[in-house]
């Protein structure tokens, strides 16, 4: 594999030291670079040829929310790249006892080469990045999940061979995963249909931005309340849980509101025969998706989860 400074040097130079808070801050060329770099890294990892690009570097990982894929993929990613990752539960830090974000950001900058944070509030993460001189990576907030979207597109590209012109149907909650996925797909010139129940729509301001991005890249984005309309002739069908962390009190309400939005055999019959099913996990079988779909031949959810590792490595090597 070419070293990052040798591979698309102008793009690589622009990414060094940059934060990853939302893919709205990244150009289509930068996203394409990260996807190709992740693919290259995956091939080198499988062949045991990945160089220690981050030897001597330390990533601090702050968690306000529980995690399986985010924590493990970032930690293993740093190990693969020759660096070290440090897990920090937000409750165990002074920020959990009232220390200001300003002080925390400045202190972390003295110790670390980068910070990955999985947080409740996107505004807090933005403030942390403002006061941190090293790159800050959004591992999930209430509005965005950019690292997940990179792994999603990497998976689609691996299976389908390209991204531009494909139809992606997102069916379910208009949440952080949906926001980042649609923005990423719009940048790649995909045609995106978002189907959400009334009251659980995709953020309207982000929808406007995604539509503009898609048009610039030869794609399109539209929203609907009809899952069949969204899935019709889709190349990719994607969903997420109906009740995310912190929304447990809304579970009964959401089960009722989303019952017509389950991804099942009847719904995916409207997609292309070779459609690809994706889910960011964890999944609730027979809730947002039937077991027959998520465990069926069109599902690539574990390949998708595995690609979190390689997408993370591309981000880490580029920014750090």
């Amino acid at each position: 594999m070419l070293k990052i400074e040798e591979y698309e040097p102008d793009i690589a130079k622009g990414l060094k030291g940059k934060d990853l808070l939302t893919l709205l801050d990244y150009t289509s060329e930068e996203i394409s670079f990260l996807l190709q770099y992740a693919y290259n890294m995956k091939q080198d990892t499988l062949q045991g040829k990945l160089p220690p690009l981050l030897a001597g570097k330390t990533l601090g990982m702050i968690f306000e929310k529980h995690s399986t894929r985010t924590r493990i993929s970032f930690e293993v990613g740093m190990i693969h790249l020759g660096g070290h990752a440090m897990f920090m539960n937000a409750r165990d830090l002074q920020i959990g006892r009232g220390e200001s974000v300003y002080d925390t950001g400045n202190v972390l900058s003295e110790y670390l080469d980068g910070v990955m944070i999985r947080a409740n509030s996107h505004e807090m993460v933005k403030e942390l990045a403002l006061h941190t001189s090293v790159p800050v990576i959004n591992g999930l907030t209430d509005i965005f999940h950019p690292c997940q979207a990179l792994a999603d597109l990497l998976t689609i590209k691996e299976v389908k061979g390209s991204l531009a012109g494909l139809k992606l149907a997102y069916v379910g909650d208009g949440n952080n995963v949906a926001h980042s996925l649609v923005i990423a797909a719009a940048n790649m010139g995909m045609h995106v249909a978002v189907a959400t129940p009334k009251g659980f729509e995709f953020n309207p301001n982000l929808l406007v931005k995604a539509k503009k991005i898609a048009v610039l890249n030869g794609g399109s984005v539209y929203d609907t309340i009809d899952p069949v309309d969204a899935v019709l002739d889709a190349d990719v069908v994607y969903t997420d849980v109906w009740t995310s962390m912190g929304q447990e009190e809304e579970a009964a309400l959401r089960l009722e509101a989303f019952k017509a939005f389950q991804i099942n055999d009847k719904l995916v019959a409207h997609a292309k025969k070779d459609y690809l099913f994706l889910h960011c996990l964890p999944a609730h079988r027979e809730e947002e998706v039937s077991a027959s779909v998520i465990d069926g031949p069109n599902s690539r959810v574990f390949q998708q989860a595995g690609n979190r590792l390689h997408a993370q490595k591309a981000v880490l090597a580029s920014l750090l």
Side-chain angles (χ1 to χ4, degrees), residues 99-121:
E99 183 173 41
S100 70
V101 176
Y102 172 85
D103 286 356
T104 299
N106 279 282
V107 168
L108 293 178
S109 300
E110 296 292 323
Y111 303 140
L112 302 169
D113 299 289
V115 175
M116 188 284 297
I117 180 166
R118 186 173 169 92
N120 296 308
S121 167

Side-chain angles (χ1 to χ4, degrees), residues 83-135:
H84 178 74
M86 180 183 299
F87 173 82
M88 297 180 286
N89 189 315
R91 291 172 297 180
D92 298 332
L93 300 176
Q94 293 296 343
I95 195 172
R97 301 178 58 221
E99 183 173 41
S100 70
V101 176
Y102 172 85
D103 286 356
T104 299
N106 279 282
V107 168
L108 293 178
S109 300
E110 296 292 323
Y111 303 140
L112 302 169
D113 299 289
V115 175
M116 188 284 297
I117 180 166
R118 186 173 169 92
N120 296 308
S121 167
H122 190 74
E123 291 303 313
M124 186 276 277
V125 173
K126 286 169 61 179
E127 185 181 358
L128 181 68
L130 182 65
H131 302 301
T132 306
S133 61
V134 297

Side-chain angles (χ1 to χ4, degrees), residues 9-28:
D10 293 337
I11 297 177
K13 184 178 180 180
L15 288 175
K16 188 175 182 180
K18 188 172 183 175
D19 296 322
L20 176 55
L21 306 185
T22 165
L23 292 173
L24 288 170
D25 298 331
Y26 280 60
T27 66
S28 298

Side-chain angles (χ1 to χ4, degrees), residues 182-260:
V182 173
I183 290 165
N187 270 284
M188 296 297 99
M190 299 178 73
H191 299 290
V192 186
V194 180
T196 58
K198 290 182 179 180
F200 301 92
E201 294 90 348
F202 195 94
N203 181 289
N205 293 328
L206 294 178
L207 187 65
V208 170
K209 292 179 180 180
K211 287 181 177 180
K212 291 180 178 178
I213 293 170
V215 170
L216 289 173
N217 291 283
S220 62
V221 174
Y222 77 95
D223 61 325
T224 177
I225 60 171
D226 183 359
V228 173
D229 178 35
V231 170
L232 185 64
D233 293 327
D235 297 284
V236 184
V237 179
Y238 195 119
T239 194
D240 190 9
V241 294
W242 292 343
T243 304
S244 297
M245 286 181 289
Q247 299 173 336
E248 287 79 8
E249 293 182 358
E250 303 175 12
L253 172 66
R254 286 173 171 269
L255 280 173
E256 179 64 24
F258 284 87
K259 62 183 181 181

Side-chain angles (χ1 to χ4, degrees), residues 34 57 130 156 285 317:
L34 288 172
K57 302 277 187 180
L130 182 65
I156 297 169
R285 285 166 175 78

Side-chain angles (χ1 to χ4, degrees), residues 27-46:
T27 66
S28 298
E29 291 76 18
E30 288 173 331
I31 295 172
S32 292
F33 167 84
L34 288 172
L35 293 176
Q36 185 61 49
Y37 199 39
Y39 179 80
N40 290 358
M41 284 193 162
K42 182 174 183 176
Q43 303 313 306
D44 282 356
T45 300
L46 294 174

